Amino acid sequence: MPREVCDYYQVRETIGSGGFAQVKIAKHRLSGETVAIKVMNKVALGEDLPRVQREINALRSLRHQHISQMYQVIDTPDDIYIVMEYVPGGEVFDYIVTKDRLLEDEARKFFRQVISAIAYVHNEGFAHRDLKPENLLLDRYQNIKLIDFGLVAKPQSLQDNLYTCCGSPAYAAPELIAGKPYLGSKADIWSMGILLYALLCGYLPFDDDNTVKLYKQILKGEYETPRWLSHGSIKILDSMLQTDPNQRITVKHLLSHPWVMTNYGVPVEWRSKYKPGSIDSEVIDVMSQYYGIGTTEMSNEIAEWKFDHVCATYYILCNMKYQGKRPRLL
Ligand SMILES: CN(C)C[C@H]1CC[C@H](N2C(=O)N(C)Cc3cnc4ccc(-c5cc(Cl)c(O)c(Cl)c5)nc4c32)CC1
Protein backbone atom coordinates (compact mmCIF):
# COMPACT_ATOMS: atom_id res chain seq x y z
CA MET A 1 0.00 0.00 0.00
CA PRO A 2 1.55 3.35 -1.01
CA ARG A 3 2.07 6.07 1.61
CA GLU A 4 -0.69 8.27 0.10
CA VAL A 5 -3.10 5.55 1.32
CA CYS A 6 -1.35 4.26 4.46
CA ASP A 7 -0.81 7.74 5.88
CA TYR A 8 -4.56 8.26 6.10
CA TYR A 9 -6.13 4.78 6.21
CA GLN A 10 -5.39 1.50 7.96
CA VAL A 11 -6.36 -0.90 5.15
CA ARG A 12 -7.72 -4.30 6.18
CA GLU A 13 -9.20 -7.27 4.30
CA THR A 14 -10.90 -7.44 0.92
CA ILE A 15 -14.70 -7.46 1.36
CA GLY A 16 -15.74 -7.91 -2.23
CA SER A 17 -14.53 -7.82 -5.76
CA GLY A 18 -16.27 -6.66 -8.86
CA GLY A 19 -14.71 -7.36 -12.23
CA PHE A 20 -11.38 -5.57 -12.31
CA ALA A 21 -11.63 -4.08 -8.83
CA GLN A 22 -11.16 -5.19 -5.25
CA VAL A 23 -13.04 -3.45 -2.45
CA LYS A 24 -11.26 -3.41 0.90
CA ILE A 25 -12.48 -2.34 4.31
CA ALA A 26 -10.31 0.30 6.02
CA LYS A 27 -10.21 2.61 9.00
CA HIS A 28 -9.82 6.39 8.56
CA ARG A 29 -7.00 7.15 11.02
CA LEU A 30 -8.12 10.68 12.00
CA SER A 31 -11.69 9.73 12.95
CA GLY A 32 -11.48 5.98 13.56
CA GLU A 33 -14.43 5.54 11.15
CA THR A 34 -14.75 2.60 8.75
CA VAL A 35 -14.57 3.24 4.99
CA ALA A 36 -14.64 1.10 1.82
CA ILE A 37 -11.72 1.46 -0.60
CA LYS A 38 -12.08 0.30 -4.21
CA VAL A 39 -8.63 -0.60 -5.55
CA MET A 40 -7.92 -0.88 -9.27
CA ASN A 41 -4.62 -1.72 -10.90
CA LYS A 42 -3.98 0.42 -13.96
CA VAL A 43 -2.22 -2.30 -15.97
CA ALA A 44 -4.99 -4.83 -15.19
CA LEU A 45 -7.57 -2.20 -16.17
CA GLY A 46 -6.07 -1.88 -19.65
CA GLU A 47 -8.62 -0.35 -22.02
CA ASP A 48 -11.19 -0.30 -19.18
CA LEU A 49 -9.41 2.71 -17.67
CA PRO A 50 -11.91 5.15 -19.27
CA ARG A 51 -14.75 3.36 -17.43
CA VAL A 52 -13.07 4.12 -14.12
CA GLN A 53 -12.74 7.77 -15.11
CA ARG A 54 -16.46 7.77 -15.99
CA GLU A 55 -17.32 6.27 -12.59
CA ILE A 56 -15.13 8.81 -10.77
CA ASN A 57 -16.50 11.75 -12.76
CA ALA A 58 -20.05 10.60 -12.06
CA LEU A 59 -19.38 10.10 -8.36
CA ARG A 60 -17.75 13.56 -8.16
CA SER A 61 -21.05 15.18 -9.05
CA LEU A 62 -23.37 12.86 -7.10
CA ARG A 63 -24.23 13.59 -3.47
CA HIS A 64 -27.47 11.96 -2.40
CA GLN A 65 -28.93 10.26 0.65
CA HIS A 66 -29.40 6.98 -1.29
CA ILE A 67 -25.99 6.80 -2.97
CA SER A 68 -22.80 5.55 -1.28
CA GLN A 69 -20.73 8.73 -1.03
CA MET A 70 -17.31 8.92 -2.66
CA TYR A 71 -14.88 10.51 -0.19
CA GLN A 72 -11.49 10.58 -1.85
CA VAL A 73 -9.66 9.58 -5.04
CA ILE A 74 -6.00 8.55 -4.72
CA ASP A 75 -4.25 8.22 -8.08
CA THR A 76 -0.81 6.58 -7.85
CA PRO A 77 1.50 5.45 -10.71
CA ASP A 78 0.27 1.82 -10.46
CA ASP A 79 -3.20 1.95 -8.91
CA ILE A 80 -6.34 4.05 -8.45
CA TYR A 81 -8.01 4.06 -5.03
CA ILE A 82 -11.61 5.26 -4.55
CA VAL A 83 -12.40 5.81 -0.87
CA MET A 84 -16.13 5.52 -0.19
CA GLU A 85 -18.79 5.51 2.47
CA TYR A 86 -18.89 2.04 4.07
CA VAL A 87 -22.44 0.65 4.13
CA PRO A 88 -22.76 -1.86 6.99
CA GLY A 89 -26.14 -3.53 6.47
CA GLY A 90 -25.30 -5.87 3.61
CA GLU A 91 -26.86 -6.29 0.17
CA VAL A 92 -30.58 -6.08 -0.52
CA PHE A 93 -29.99 -9.32 -2.46
CA ASP A 94 -29.11 -11.16 0.79
CA TYR A 95 -32.00 -9.50 2.59
CA ILE A 96 -34.50 -10.85 0.03
CA VAL A 97 -32.93 -14.33 0.22
CA THR A 98 -33.29 -14.43 4.01
CA LYS A 99 -36.94 -13.35 3.81
CA ASP A 100 -37.75 -15.45 0.71
CA ARG A 101 -39.73 -12.48 -0.69
CA LEU A 102 -40.89 -9.13 0.68
CA LEU A 103 -44.45 -8.13 1.48
CA GLU A 104 -45.74 -5.33 -0.71
CA ASP A 105 -45.34 -2.61 1.95
CA GLU A 106 -41.69 -3.47 2.62
CA ALA A 107 -40.93 -3.77 -1.10
CA ARG A 108 -42.57 -0.33 -1.55
CA LYS A 109 -40.37 1.21 1.18
CA PHE A 110 -37.20 0.04 -0.56
CA PHE A 111 -38.45 0.72 -4.08
CA ARG A 112 -39.35 4.34 -3.23
CA GLN A 113 -35.72 4.85 -2.18
CA VAL A 114 -34.46 3.28 -5.43
CA ILE A 115 -36.77 5.60 -7.42
CA SER A 116 -35.36 8.53 -5.40
CA ALA A 117 -31.75 7.56 -6.21
CA ILE A 118 -32.40 6.90 -9.92
CA ALA A 119 -34.52 10.04 -10.42
CA TYR A 120 -31.61 12.02 -8.95
CA VAL A 121 -28.97 10.20 -11.05
CA HIS A 122 -31.01 10.72 -14.27
CA ASN A 123 -31.65 14.37 -13.38
CA GLU A 124 -27.88 14.85 -13.01
CA GLY A 125 -27.48 13.53 -16.57
CA PHE A 126 -26.31 9.97 -15.86
CA ALA A 127 -27.61 6.41 -16.17
CA HIS A 128 -26.43 3.73 -13.74
CA ARG A 129 -26.82 0.76 -16.12
CA ASP A 130 -26.04 -1.95 -13.59
CA LEU A 131 -29.07 -1.90 -11.29
CA LYS A 132 -29.51 -5.15 -9.39
CA PRO A 133 -30.02 -6.17 -5.75
CA GLU A 134 -26.26 -6.79 -5.34
CA ASN A 135 -25.63 -3.11 -6.01
CA LEU A 136 -28.14 -1.92 -3.42
CA LEU A 137 -26.74 -1.94 0.11
CA LEU A 138 -28.56 -1.22 3.37
CA ASP A 139 -27.20 1.19 5.97
CA ARG A 140 -27.69 0.91 9.75
CA TYR A 141 -31.21 2.39 9.41
CA GLN A 142 -32.15 -0.09 6.63
CA ASN A 143 -31.98 2.73 4.10
CA ILE A 144 -30.87 1.95 0.55
CA LYS A 145 -27.44 3.03 -0.68
CA LEU A 146 -26.79 2.60 -4.42
CA ILE A 147 -23.27 1.53 -5.31
CA ASP A 148 -21.04 0.44 -8.21
CA PHE A 149 -21.18 3.07 -10.91
CA GLY A 150 -18.69 1.04 -12.94
CA LEU A 151 -21.06 1.00 -15.94
CA VAL A 152 -22.35 4.56 -15.54
CA ALA A 153 -23.01 6.53 -18.73
CA LYS A 154 -24.50 9.77 -19.95
CA PRO A 155 -28.02 8.67 -21.03
CA GLN A 156 -28.43 11.50 -23.58
CA SER A 157 -25.93 9.83 -25.88
CA LEU A 158 -26.72 6.44 -27.40
CA GLN A 159 -24.59 3.79 -25.79
CA ASP A 160 -22.33 1.00 -26.86
CA ASN A 161 -23.78 -2.16 -25.34
CA LEU A 162 -21.26 -2.80 -22.58
CA TYR A 163 -23.89 -4.90 -20.80
CA THR A 164 -23.75 -7.97 -22.98
CA CYS A 165 -20.05 -8.33 -22.30
CA CYS A 166 -19.95 -7.45 -18.61
CA GLY A 167 -23.29 -6.57 -17.04
CA SER A 168 -25.70 -9.17 -15.68
CA PRO A 169 -27.96 -10.33 -18.56
CA ALA A 170 -30.95 -11.12 -16.30
CA TYR A 171 -31.36 -7.37 -15.68
CA ALA A 172 -30.53 -6.24 -19.24
CA ALA A 173 -33.23 -4.51 -21.29
CA PRO A 174 -34.37 -6.11 -24.61
CA GLU A 175 -32.98 -3.29 -26.76
CA LEU A 176 -29.60 -3.85 -25.09
CA ILE A 177 -29.75 -7.60 -25.70
CA ALA A 178 -30.69 -6.93 -29.32
CA GLY A 179 -27.53 -4.80 -29.66
CA LYS A 180 -29.54 -1.77 -30.78
CA PRO A 181 -28.46 1.76 -29.86
CA TYR A 182 -30.27 2.48 -26.59
CA LEU A 183 -30.80 5.13 -23.95
CA GLY A 184 -29.21 4.27 -20.60
CA SER A 185 -32.04 5.94 -18.70
CA LYS A 186 -34.64 3.67 -20.34
CA ALA A 187 -32.48 0.61 -19.69
CA ASP A 188 -32.36 1.62 -16.01
CA ILE A 189 -36.20 1.61 -15.87
CA TRP A 190 -36.28 -1.94 -17.25
CA SER A 191 -33.74 -3.03 -14.59
CA MET A 192 -35.90 -1.35 -11.93
CA GLY A 193 -38.79 -3.53 -13.13
CA ILE A 194 -36.65 -6.65 -12.77
CA LEU A 195 -35.56 -5.42 -9.33
CA LEU A 196 -39.13 -4.80 -8.10
CA TYR A 197 -40.16 -8.23 -9.40
CA ALA A 198 -37.27 -9.79 -7.44
CA LEU A 199 -38.32 -7.89 -4.28
CA LEU A 200 -41.97 -9.00 -4.59
CA CYS A 201 -41.40 -12.57 -5.82
CA GLY A 202 -37.97 -13.61 -4.50
CA TYR A 203 -36.89 -14.79 -7.94
CA LEU A 204 -36.27 -13.26 -11.38
CA PRO A 205 -38.96 -12.83 -14.08
CA PHE A 206 -36.53 -13.94 -16.81
CA ASP A 207 -34.07 -16.61 -15.83
CA ASP A 208 -32.35 -19.48 -17.58
CA ASP A 209 -28.88 -20.99 -17.24
CA ASN A 210 -28.72 -21.02 -21.02
CA THR A 211 -27.97 -17.44 -22.05
CA VAL A 212 -29.56 -17.84 -25.48
CA LYS A 213 -32.82 -19.04 -23.92
CA LEU A 214 -32.60 -16.17 -21.39
CA TYR A 215 -32.18 -13.64 -24.20
CA LYS A 216 -35.21 -15.10 -26.03
CA GLN A 217 -37.32 -14.72 -22.85
CA ILE A 218 -36.21 -11.11 -22.39
CA LEU A 219 -36.87 -10.18 -26.02
CA LYS A 220 -40.32 -11.78 -25.76
CA GLY A 221 -40.94 -9.92 -22.50
CA GLU A 222 -43.47 -12.43 -21.14
CA TYR A 223 -43.18 -13.36 -17.47
CA GLU A 224 -45.36 -15.14 -14.95
CA THR A 225 -47.30 -13.19 -12.30
CA PRO A 226 -47.60 -15.33 -9.15
CA ARG A 227 -50.97 -15.33 -7.40
CA TRP A 228 -49.69 -13.29 -4.42
CA LEU A 229 -49.04 -10.22 -6.60
CA SER A 230 -51.70 -7.51 -6.17
CA HIS A 231 -53.34 -5.96 -9.23
CA GLY A 232 -51.47 -2.71 -8.48
CA SER A 233 -48.11 -4.54 -8.35
CA ILE A 234 -48.82 -6.20 -11.70
CA LYS A 235 -49.67 -2.83 -13.25
CA ILE A 236 -46.50 -1.05 -12.12
CA LEU A 237 -44.34 -4.03 -13.14
CA ASP A 238 -46.02 -3.99 -16.56
CA SER A 239 -45.28 -0.26 -16.96
CA MET A 240 -41.53 -0.88 -16.48
CA LEU A 241 -41.18 -4.25 -18.24
CA GLN A 242 -42.29 -2.93 -21.64
CA THR A 243 -40.05 -4.41 -24.35
CA ASP A 244 -40.50 -1.24 -26.40
CA PRO A 245 -38.39 1.40 -24.59
CA ASN A 246 -40.71 4.14 -25.86
CA GLN A 247 -43.70 2.47 -24.18
CA ARG A 248 -41.76 2.21 -20.89
CA ILE A 249 -42.69 4.50 -17.98
CA THR A 250 -40.14 7.22 -17.11
CA VAL A 251 -38.67 7.71 -13.63
CA LYS A 252 -40.51 11.07 -13.36
CA HIS A 253 -43.86 9.25 -13.75
CA LEU A 254 -42.78 6.61 -11.23
CA LEU A 255 -42.39 9.35 -8.57
CA SER A 256 -46.18 9.62 -8.19
CA HIS A 257 -47.35 6.28 -9.62
CA PRO A 258 -50.48 5.03 -7.74
CA TRP A 259 -48.65 1.90 -6.49
CA VAL A 260 -45.75 4.07 -5.21
CA MET A 261 -48.20 6.48 -3.50
CA THR A 262 -50.17 3.72 -1.73
CA ASN A 263 -49.97 4.11 2.10
CA TYR A 264 -47.66 7.16 1.63
CA GLY A 265 -50.01 9.62 -0.07
CA VAL A 266 -47.04 11.73 -1.24
CA PRO A 267 -44.75 11.42 -4.27
CA VAL A 268 -41.16 10.20 -3.82
CA GLU A 269 -38.79 12.92 -2.58
CA TRP A 270 -35.97 12.53 -5.12
CA ARG A 271 -33.95 15.72 -4.60
CA SER A 272 -30.73 15.44 -2.62
CA LYS A 273 -31.17 16.36 1.03
CA TYR A 274 -27.74 18.02 0.68
CA LYS A 275 -28.45 21.45 -0.80
CA PRO A 276 -25.81 22.17 -3.49
CA GLY A 277 -22.94 24.01 -1.86
CA SER A 278 -24.40 23.62 1.66
CA ILE A 279 -21.64 23.02 4.22
CA ASP A 280 -22.19 21.67 7.75
CA SER A 281 -20.96 24.36 10.16
CA GLU A 282 -20.56 22.00 13.14
CA VAL A 283 -18.22 19.80 11.07
CA ILE A 284 -16.34 22.90 9.84
CA ASP A 285 -15.84 23.95 13.49
CA VAL A 286 -14.35 20.55 14.39
CA MET A 287 -12.05 20.62 11.36
CA SER A 288 -10.91 24.23 11.67
CA GLN A 289 -10.01 23.49 15.31
CA TYR A 290 -8.07 20.39 14.30
CA TYR A 291 -6.23 22.04 11.36
CA GLY A 292 -5.74 25.30 13.30
CA ILE A 293 -7.27 27.58 10.65
CA GLY A 294 -10.31 29.87 10.64
CA THR A 295 -13.81 28.52 9.84
CA THR A 296 -14.09 30.74 6.71
CA GLU A 297 -10.78 29.46 5.38
CA MET A 298 -11.87 25.88 6.22
CA SER A 299 -15.23 26.36 4.45
CA ASN A 300 -13.52 27.77 1.36
CA GLU A 301 -11.15 24.79 1.29
CA ILE A 302 -14.06 22.29 1.54
CA ALA A 303 -16.12 24.19 -1.05
CA GLU A 304 -13.56 23.20 -3.68
CA TRP A 305 -14.66 19.53 -3.28
CA LYS A 306 -11.24 18.27 -4.30
CA PHE A 307 -11.87 14.67 -3.07
CA ASP A 308 -8.54 14.85 -1.27
CA HIS A 309 -8.01 13.82 2.37
CA VAL A 310 -9.40 17.06 3.80
CA CYS A 311 -12.56 16.57 1.73
CA ALA A 312 -12.80 12.93 2.84
CA THR A 313 -12.48 13.99 6.47
CA TYR A 314 -15.36 16.43 6.02
CA TYR A 315 -17.60 13.77 4.44
CA ILE A 316 -16.67 11.22 7.11
CA LEU A 317 -17.51 13.66 9.93
CA CYS A 318 -20.87 14.36 8.23
CA ASN A 319 -21.50 10.62 8.06
CA MET A 320 -20.72 10.36 11.80
CA LYS A 321 -23.52 12.90 12.47
CA TYR A 322 -25.85 10.87 10.21
CA GLN A 323 -25.06 7.86 12.42
CA GLY A 324 -25.98 9.87 15.52
CA LYS A 325 -22.34 10.13 16.64
CA ARG A 326 -20.60 13.34 17.75
CA PRO A 327 -18.23 14.40 14.90
CA ARG A 328 -14.72 14.42 16.31
CA LEU A 329 -11.11 13.77 15.27
CA LEU A 330 -8.63 11.79 17.35
C1 LIG B 1 -20.49 -7.41 -6.65
N1 LIG B 1 -20.21 -6.01 -7.03
C2 LIG B 1 -19.94 -5.92 -8.48
C3 LIG B 1 -19.05 -5.45 -6.29
C4 LIG B 1 -19.18 -5.52 -4.79
C5 LIG B 1 -17.94 -4.91 -4.18
C6 LIG B 1 -18.00 -4.85 -2.66
C7 LIG B 1 -19.27 -4.22 -2.15
N2 LIG B 1 -19.37 -4.27 -0.69
C8 LIG B 1 -19.40 -5.53 -0.11
O1 LIG B 1 -19.26 -6.55 -0.83
N3 LIG B 1 -19.59 -5.67 1.24
C9 LIG B 1 -19.57 -7.00 1.88
C10 LIG B 1 -19.83 -4.57 2.11
C11 LIG B 1 -19.73 -3.24 1.49
C12 LIG B 1 -19.89 -2.13 2.32
N4 LIG B 1 -19.81 -0.90 1.84
C13 LIG B 1 -19.57 -0.70 0.54
C14 LIG B 1 -19.51 0.61 0.08
C15 LIG B 1 -19.28 0.85 -1.23
C16 LIG B 1 -19.10 -0.23 -2.09
C17 LIG B 1 -18.85 0.03 -3.52
C18 LIG B 1 -18.37 -0.98 -4.33
C19 LIG B 1 -18.12 -0.71 -5.67
CL1 LIG B 1 -17.52 -1.96 -6.68
C20 LIG B 1 -18.37 0.55 -6.22
O2 LIG B 1 -18.12 0.81 -7.54
C21 LIG B 1 -18.88 1.55 -5.40
CL2 LIG B 1 -19.24 3.07 -6.04
C22 LIG B 1 -19.13 1.31 -4.05
N5 LIG B 1 -19.15 -1.52 -1.69
C23 LIG B 1 -19.40 -1.77 -0.39
C24 LIG B 1 -19.49 -3.11 0.12
C25 LIG B 1 -20.51 -4.76 -2.81
C26 LIG B 1 -20.42 -4.78 -4.33
Side-chain angles (χ1 to χ4, degrees), residues 223-236:
Y223 52 92
E224 66 153 50
T225 51
R227 67 190 178 294
W228 61 76
L229 287 183
S230 70
H231 184 60
S233 297
I234 291 169
K235 283 191 72 172
I236 190 171

Side-chain angles (χ1 to χ4, degrees), residues 26-93:
K27 186 199 281 264
H28 177 238
R29 294 186 190 279
L30 276 194
S31 63
E33 286 294 289
T34 302
V35 297
I37 303 184
K38 185 173 180 178
V39 188
M40 290 157 282
N41 175 272
K42 290 182 178 176
V43 170
L45 276 173
E47 80 281 357
D48 278 328
L49 193 57
R51 273 170 61 182
V52 177
Q53 287 312 332
R54 270 205 297 259
E55 177 171 27
I56 291 170
N57 291 338
L59 288 169
R60 275 182 189 283
S61 48
L62 300 173
R63 179 138 168 74
H64 189 269
Q65 53 275 18
H66 293 307
I67 296 175
S68 169
Q69 179 62 46
M70 180 170 79
Y71 291 154
Q72 185 175 357
V73 177
I74 303 170
D75 192 342
T76 70
D78 299 331
D79 303 289
I80 297 177
Y81 301 82
I82 305 179
V83 184
M84 295 166 288
E85 172 186 1
Y86 178 78
V87 187
E91 299 177 1
V92 165
F93 180 85

Side-chain angles (χ1 to χ4, degrees), residues 9-303:
Y9 303 95
Q10 180 192 14
V11 183
R12 300 209 305 264
E13 71 275 11
T14 296
I15 53 174
S17 56
F20 46 82
Q22 284 200 320
V23 179
K24 295 177 179 289
I25 193 166
K27 186 199 281 264
H28 177 238
R29 294 186 190 279
L30 276 194
S31 63
E33 286 294 289
T34 302
V35 297
I37 303 184
K38 185 173 180 178
V39 188
M40 290 157 282
N41 175 272
K42 290 182 178 176
V43 170
L45 276 173
E47 80 281 357
D48 278 328
L49 193 57
R51 273 170 61 182
V52 177
Q53 287 312 332
R54 270 205 297 259
E55 177 171 27
I56 291 170
N57 291 338
L59 288 169
R60 275 182 189 283
S61 48
L62 300 173
R63 179 138 168 74
H64 189 269
Q65 53 275 18
H66 293 307
I67 296 175
S68 169
Q69 179 62 46
M70 180 170 79
Y71 291 154
Q72 185 175 357
V73 177
I74 303 170
D75 192 342
T76 70
D78 299 331
D79 303 289
I80 297 177
Y81 301 82
I82 305 179
V83 184
M84 295 166 288
E85 172 186 1
Y86 178 78
V87 187
E91 299 177 1
V92 165
F93 180 85
D94 298 325
Y95 186 79
I96 303 172
V97 169
T98 53
K99 303 199 80 168
D100 186 21
R101 58 180 160 91
L102 304 187
L103 296 177
E104 197 167 313
D105 278 348
E106 190 168 26
R108 178 176 296 111
K109 181 199 124 189
F110 286 137
F111 198 64
R112 281 176 66 98
Q113 295 184 0
V114 174
I115 295 172
S116 176
I118 296 304
Y120 170 78
V121 168
H122 288 185
N123 190 63
E124 290 298 313
F126 297 100
H128 183 278
R129 297 203 310 171
D130 197 10
L131 283 176
K132 53 189 177 184
E134 297 90 324
N135 285 340
L136 294 171
L137 303 183
L138 294 171
D139 70 10
R140 60 175 19 209
Y141 303 114
Q142 290 246 313
N143 287 325
I144 290 265
K145 294 280 183 177
L146 176 60
I147 63 160
D148 201 346
F149 286 72
L151 289 176
V152 74
K154 287 266 182 192
Q156 280 75 18
S157 62
L158 296 180
Q159 314 292 334
D160 49 302
N161 55 339
L162 273 170
Y163 232 105
T164 41
C165 66
C166 47
S168 26
Y171 294 84
E175 66 270 18
L176 227 149
I177 298 281
K180 295 175 189 159
Y182 70 95
L183 273 181
S185 49
K186 290 186 180 295
D188 279 348
I189 300 296
W190 174 276
S191 304
M192 285 171 77
I194 304 291
L195 177 71
L196 181 58
Y197 189 99
L199 289 172
L200 290 168
C201 302
Y203 53 84
L204 296 170
F206 310 111
D207 202 1
D208 196 300
D209 294 338
N210 177 307
T211 308
V212 173
K213 285 184 185 168
L214 173 61
Y215 282 4
K216 281 204 175 82
Q217 286 181 26
I218 294 170
L219 290 169
K220 207 161 160 52
E222 287 168 10
Y223 52 92
E224 66 153 50
T225 51
R227 67 190 178 294
W228 61 76
L229 287 183
S230 70
H231 184 60
S233 297
I234 291 169
K235 283 191 72 172
I236 190 171
L237 285 168
D238 184 59
S239 70
M240 292 182 278
L241 296 176
Q242 287 292 315
T243 51
D244 176 355
N246 297 316
Q247 297 300 318
R248 221 170 281 159
I249 193 169
T250 62
V251 71
K252 288 284 184 213
H253 287 108
L254 279 176
L255 294 171
S256 52
H257 186 284
W259 186 88
V260 172
M261 297 282 281
T262 305
N263 298 339
Y264 283 81
V266 290
V268 171
E269 176 45 63
W270 61 275
R271 294 192 185 283
S272 174
K273 74 178 188 183
Y274 307 101
K275 293 287 159 278
S278 70
I279 289 181
D280 185 304
S281 53
E282 181 187 5
V283 168
I284 289 296
D285 288 346
V286 169
M287 290 182 71
S288 52
Q289 290 237 336
Y290 178 84
Y291 286 105
I293 60 176
T295 51
T296 310
E297 194 182 344
M298 194 74 248
S299 295
N300 292 341
E301 167 71 19
I302 293 299

